[in-house]
Amino acid sequence: MHAITYETPKSLDEAVKLLAAHGEKARPLSGGTDLLIQLRAGTRRPDFVVDIKRIPELTRISFSLQHGLRLGAAVPCIEIHENGDMRKYYPGLTEAAHLIGSLQIQSRASVGGNLCNGSPAADTTPALIALGAQARVVGPKGERMVPVEGFCLAPGRTVLQPGELLVEFQIPAPERHCADAYLRFIPRNEMDIAVVGVGAALTLDMSDDRVVEARIGLGAVGPTPIFAAEASKSLIGKTLDAAAIDNAARLAIAASSPIDDMRGTAEYRRHVVGVLTRRVLAKAAERARQSDQR
Amino acid sequence: MAASTTNGFRVIGTRPIRHDGVDKVTGRAKYGADYAFPGMLHGKVLRSPHPHANIKSIKVDKALALPGVKAIVTSADLPQMPDKMEAAGEQAINLNHLSANILARGKALYDGHAIAAVAATSPHIADEALRLIEVEYEPLPPVMTVEDALKPGAPILLPSLRNKEEGPDKETNVAAHLQFKRGDVAEGFKQADYVIEREFKTAMVHQGYIEPHNAIGIYNADGHATIYCSTQGSFVVRALSAAVLGLSEGKIKVVPAEIGGGFGGKTTVYLEPLSVLLSQKTGHPVKMTMTRAEVLRATGPTSGSTIRCKMGATRDGKIVAAQCWLAYEAGGFPGSPVGAGAMTILAPYNIPNILVDAYDVVVNRPKTAAYRAPGASNAAMASETVLDEIAEKCGLDPLDIRILNGSHDGTPQTVGPPFKRIGFIETLEAIKNGEHYKSKLTGANRGRGVASGFWFNVGLQSSATVNIHTDGTVSVVIGSVDIGGTRAAQAMIAAEVLGVDINDVRPTIADTDSIGHTDVTGGSRTCFATGWAVYEAAQDCIRQLKERAAKLWEKKPEEVVFQNGVFSPTQANGVKPMSLKEMAPRLARTGGPIVGRATVNARGVGPAFATVCVDVEVDPDTGKTQILRATIAQDVGKAIHPSYVEGQMQGGMAQGIGWALNEEYFYDDRGILRNTGLLDYRMPTCLDLPALETLIVEVPTPGHPLGVRGVGEVSIVPPPAAVANAIYHAVGVRMTELPMSPPRLLKAILKKRAAGETQAAAAD
């Protein structure tokens, strides 16, 4: 019988030591909504499971308009949704976190776990990419910052080296007339996994309704979540009219590289990238224009 | 509820709280996996990772050496069965196929096919042991669709399979060809002004019961065995397990647990014989439960199919001819419901010329099992959408064309004999006159569709006993499991006959040693046949109670009448009439306890019809369909407990909508099932369905004492076609493939849009 040692470090130091000592044989446990399934299915067979939910840095949300957001990697999604600052300043990331599974799942699942699982279909990752989030990683050799769009390498694989732990996300404070949004397509209305996910963050110059800053993240349409750089860049300095949006949608489709699988064909996914990009830009713009009221 | 009466009934037609309700909502009810016994071992099954492979060898030494492993069995431990149809209990079945499905014999025929089973002291050790079993496979090319299976030179699944047409020397994947014929279709089509012909494909789908299969086998040193399991038929489990194990039926007792859904999928055996075999080898009780992945890979599903349907009608909408060709995936062994598909596809209509050909085809997919009106939903998807096209051509309302052509008493069935009293037209009229159909549907990309369906229903055998207790309460004992309100309905029938309060009746589901033979809960038969037995058993009590009253009053039994719950002499002369409650304490003094008994082999079953109306809204950018509103009208004969009748109508409709929109088995190009969980096998959630509306139509079945008609199945037949018709009326595309998932529907919408643009360009 395969036995697993369960560790519950109380500090970052302790956690990193444990992870470094056991290398590939250890796997961090946040909410467990991916890991437990992988253990049962036998697709991962770690000897050590390191529960990181008792480490203070990983389980807190801190926000200020001066310093922006620090979101602990193991904060359960439900706490994000229940946090007034999150809802107000990062509605796109909040709605992405609130789309994952049921309330029960959201009470366990975390944004950090969502990213570290390395699935291209993770709902919160395109939203993080749109916000320009940086991942703070701590390991035996010190710490480093990784932009979220560079975090995943392949399905199930990330930049994390043995012994390294994702601690938190750092996201700049939102400017005036800046807002984000996230939309995903699923065949059902809930309890499903993204066939396509698109996150967008826009900053507008309200004097002439031009785009000052734009970032678009794509999910489930490539081996990793994608930052649609060309599509994002194409919007900057433009008025957000139908032509600009269509052009960005076209460039987002070009940035995607989906495959055929049971959740949808590549052809279908490309089409839906265009549809959702148009819809999510409209939604983010709407929010940005109304951001004075927040 | 004592005072209320509906149509002369006092209890029937009311909605009392179900007797098993408290146990079920408090978690006390015991399902198969809830049982445990001292010394119990845990069994697990090793399954084939190949869809089609010869099994060269199975080595178990390393697994047996693992501490805690107590026994390992393979097909070599089961007796070899003759490769022919044989009686097993009440059904004819190829026992060789049944046995080889439980443990593969020489060949693995689908991804997930059981290869070996382990018993160990914990489920984790059993799992570990599975990894240590070494199986040498010789992979063979998989045959995944009926088209591939029918191709000349296709790989052969079962070397011994033959069919009459191709003869005794020809290896084949076609297990059977059935044909049904009336009139002359060629002549018929000549009379038609409009002929529509379409080809349809429907995906393999699973019943989707929430509770996975389970069994605990306890083999005793005296050669007797007990099986605890969740099943739709304890007597079927007994018969099939005995046959597979080479035991006589009487050596096995089956104790049915509460059942967490079946829908036809729990009418056969998978784990039950294995648990007994492992118990026999180890001397311990052995518990086996499946994971969701095992359920999806290796149990149930119902057939995917290819169906061609051609229908011809005159200008005024009279259908003059219909020709259908159906080929159903049987799975790794013969036995798809294609025969039922063939007999239901045209059944709702009076068509003078018909020709229906049906093929049962083996493919490298799990052996199919019954699923709610097996074979009929696929068939109706074809015929009911073709009929919608014809109605449009004729300029007729889709309900009117059905009323014009609809079957009624005297219409010949596909198999020949005419229908007796049926309520098809009444279901059409109920929808037509209902608020839903009369309401206006407005808004872009919205459409309304209707479709109808037919299911035979069956009678078969049931037994019941009714015991009168000394305090005047009553126990009803049956052999049918409670799958959708059975206890409540059976208790209500007894309460009605005996003139007692429903809360004074306690229904019990007995094991196979404690009740007479009772056939499987299937074919919508339970309320019809077991209800009939309960009715007769209660009447038997009344006869006996009359004798006792006569004794007390020194009269002849025929001088006692029972009316409105009271026994009284025909001539009163000062005697005080008595209720059952007053009689009960006097039984000891008048001859002892009273047990009413009855058995039935129920004949004269009433077929079921239903008509469904669905409103949808399609997102033309993503191809996603929302169900806005859905109503079903169904002829139920007589609703005993209307809430559970409505539950059956809603349940079937929900499953039918799932089948229509997203459910499908997804195999990759190597023949491996990819969606082995309920995340990617997409059944509708409660957020995907509106409140499903029901219109109960009551056309009593002649001959049945209460007019009951089976209600469990027909509700799943119309929905896929109704949704397809609604989608057409919403966005103008005729879908011919199930499921009508967003990618498929979007493709059709874009194709239509492109064709429109080409036309427009040509016009410029």
Side-chain angles (χ1 to χ4, degrees), chain A residues 1-2 42 45 185-193 261-265 267-268 271-272 275 279, chain B residues 122 124-125 128 131 619 621-622 624 626 662 666 674-675 678-680 682-683 687-688 742-743 746:
Chain A
M1 196 168 96
H2 182 73
R45 305 195 84 204
F185 180 79
I186 54 173
R188 290 187 292 201
N189 289 333
E190 268 301 340
M191 304 292 288
D192 218 323
I193 189 161
D261 71 8
M262 61 185 162
R263 290 168 189 156
T265 58
E267 183 191 4
Y268 180 73
H271 178 88
V272 176
V275 173
R279 290 181 183 176
Chain B
S122 89
H124 304 290
I125 294 174
E128 197 67 28
R131 295 171 199 275
D619 180 340
D621 294 330
T622 63
K624 183 167 166 175
Q626 295 290 345
N662 281 305
F666 191 93
R674 303 302 302 183
N675 51 345
L678 296 185
L679 176 58
D680 281 308
R682 288 186 171 75
M683 301 193 288
L687 294 160
D688 300 305
L746 181 75

Side-chain angles (χ1 to χ4, degrees), chain B residues 283-577:
Chain B
H284 290 267
V286 175
K287 179 175 186 169
M288 306 182 79
T289 54
M290 288 194 193
T291 62
R292 179 68 57 196
E294 288 181 289
V295 169
L296 289 167
R297 286 171 79 199
T299 76
T302 194
S303 307
S305 56
T306 299
I307 301 174
R308 292 196 280 274
C309 180
K310 179 179 176 186
M311 222 179 258
T314 59
R315 203 162 279 113
D316 53 4
K318 194 75 198 146
I319 311 169
V320 285
Q323 184 171 0
C324 304
W325 184 95
L326 306 89
Y328 280 31
E329 299 160 353
F333 299 98
S336 77
V338 73
M343 288 184 273
T344 56
I345 190 164
L346 300 172
Y349 307 106
N350 188 358
I351 308 172
N353 305 293
I354 64 169
L355 180 60
V356 184
D357 285 286
Y359 295 85
D360 185 31
V361 185
V362 291
V363 292
N364 292 115
R365 292 167 177 252
K367 162 78 179 81
T368 54
Y371 179 20
R372 206 168 202 160
S377 298
N378 324 34
M381 170 65 193
S383 53
E384 290 291 308
T385 54
V386 167
L387 184 57
D388 199 67
E389 279 198 67
I390 289 188
E392 192 185 27
K393 287 250 183 219
C394 297
L396 280 173
D397 176 280
L399 291 170
D400 287 340
I401 200 169
R402 286 169 171 82
I403 292 169
L404 176 68
N405 292 284
S407 294
H408 43 75
D409 29 338
T411 304
Q413 301 182 55
T414 302
V415 284
F419 283 116
K420 295 196 178 113
R421 184 75 177 93
I422 51 173
F424 178 38
I425 305 292
E426 286 83 346
T427 68
L428 292 162
E429 283 167 349
I431 291 291
K432 193 175 174 182
N433 299 325
E435 189 273 322
H436 179 178
Y437 198 69
K438 284 182 173 169
S439 70
K440 214 171 155 62
L441 180 64
T442 54
N445 304 307
R446 292 181 167 197
R448 175 171 293 165
V450 298
S452 298
F454 158 79
W455 186 246
F456 313 90
N457 294 340
V458 299
L460 303 179
Q461 307 170 87
S462 284
S463 308
T465 57
V466 174
N467 306 296
I468 311 292
H469 298 298
T470 52
D471 62 349
T473 61
V474 173
S475 66
V476 173
V477 184
I478 54 171
S480 297
V481 300
D482 195 330
I483 190 159
T486 309
R487 284 187 184 89
Q490 302 303 312
M492 288 170 74
I493 292 171
E496 184 74 47
V497 174
L498 297 170
V500 299
D501 191 277
I502 183 64
N503 296 311
D504 283 339
V505 182
R506 204 168 174 76
T508 294
I509 292 150
D511 62 58
T512 53
D513 280 358
S514 313
I515 185 75
H517 182 92
T518 297
D519 281 325
V520 68
T521 289
S524 300
R525 63 172 290 278
T526 302
C527 207
F528 176 80
T530 302
W532 198 333
V534 168
Y535 176 87
E536 294 294 349
Q539 292 290 359
D540 187 25
C541 290
I542 297 292
R543 272 191 295 280
Q544 296 179 53
L545 285 161
K546 280 182 179 172
E547 288 170 11
R548 304 301 178 85
K551 213 172 198 175
L552 282 170
W553 296 327
E554 296 176 344
K555 290 183 178 296
K556 291 179 188 151
E558 55 270 28
E559 289 171 331
V560 178
V561 291
F562 178 66
Q563 245 176 354
N564 299 324
V566 177
F567 296 89
S568 54
T570 42
Q571 274 146 16
N573 50 10
V575 171
K576 184 178 167 283

Side-chain angles (χ1 to χ4, degrees), chain B residues 204-327:
Chain B
M204 175 168 263
V205 294
H206 198 270
Q207 293 82 343
Y209 29 85
I210 296 303
E211 180 200 25
H213 293 263
N214 52 74
I216 300 176
I218 308 171
Y219 188 88
N220 263 4
D222 64 2
H224 285 82
T226 305
I227 301 172
Y228 290 79
C229 65
S230 154
T231 175
Q232 292 176 242
S234 40
F235 286 85
V236 169
V237 170
R238 185 173 75 157
L240 297 183
S241 299
V244 167
L245 294 165
L247 297 174
S248 68
E249 269 186 56
K251 298 268 193 206
I252 298 180
K253 176 169 89 172
V254 175
V255 185
E258 293 297 339
I259 178 166
F263 313 110
K266 290 179 183 162
T267 57
T268 185
V269 291
Y270 302 100
L271 300 176
E272 295 85 347
L274 291 180
S275 68
V276 173
L277 188 61
L278 288 168
S279 178
Q280 190 176 0
K281 288 229 162 194
T282 59
H284 290 267
V286 175
K287 179 175 186 169
M288 306 182 79
T289 54
M290 288 194 193
T291 62
R292 179 68 57 196
E294 288 181 289
V295 169
L296 289 167
R297 286 171 79 199
T299 76
T302 194
S303 307
S305 56
T306 299
I307 301 174
R308 292 196 280 274
C309 180
K310 179 179 176 186
M311 222 179 258
T314 59
R315 203 162 279 113
D316 53 4
K318 194 75 198 146
I319 311 169
V320 285
Q323 184 171 0
C324 304
W325 184 95
L326 306 89

Side-chain angles (χ1 to χ4, degrees), chain B residues 377 380 384 450-454 610-612 632 714-723:
Chain B
S377 298
E384 290 291 308
V450 298
S452 298
F454 158 79
T611 299
V612 163
I632 179 168
V714 74
S715 51
I716 200 175
V717 183
V723 173

Side-chain angles (χ1 to χ4, degrees), chain B residues 79-102:
Chain B
Q80 171 83 51
M81 293 288 157
D83 189 7
K84 59 175 194 197
M85 300 300 280
E86 273 192 289
E90 73 276 10
Q91 52 184 328
I93 195 162
N94 184 314
L95 292 175
N96 180 46
H97 292 163
L98 178 68
S99 175
N101 191 42
I102 289 166

Side-chain angles (χ1 to χ4, degrees), chain B residues 614-617 625-630 657 661 688-690 723:
Chain B
V614 174
D615 295 349
V616 302
E617 179 173 333
T625 302
Q626 295 290 345
I627 306 291
L628 301 175
R629 190 173 179 187
I657 289 169
L661 292 181
D688 300 305
L689 297 171
V723 173

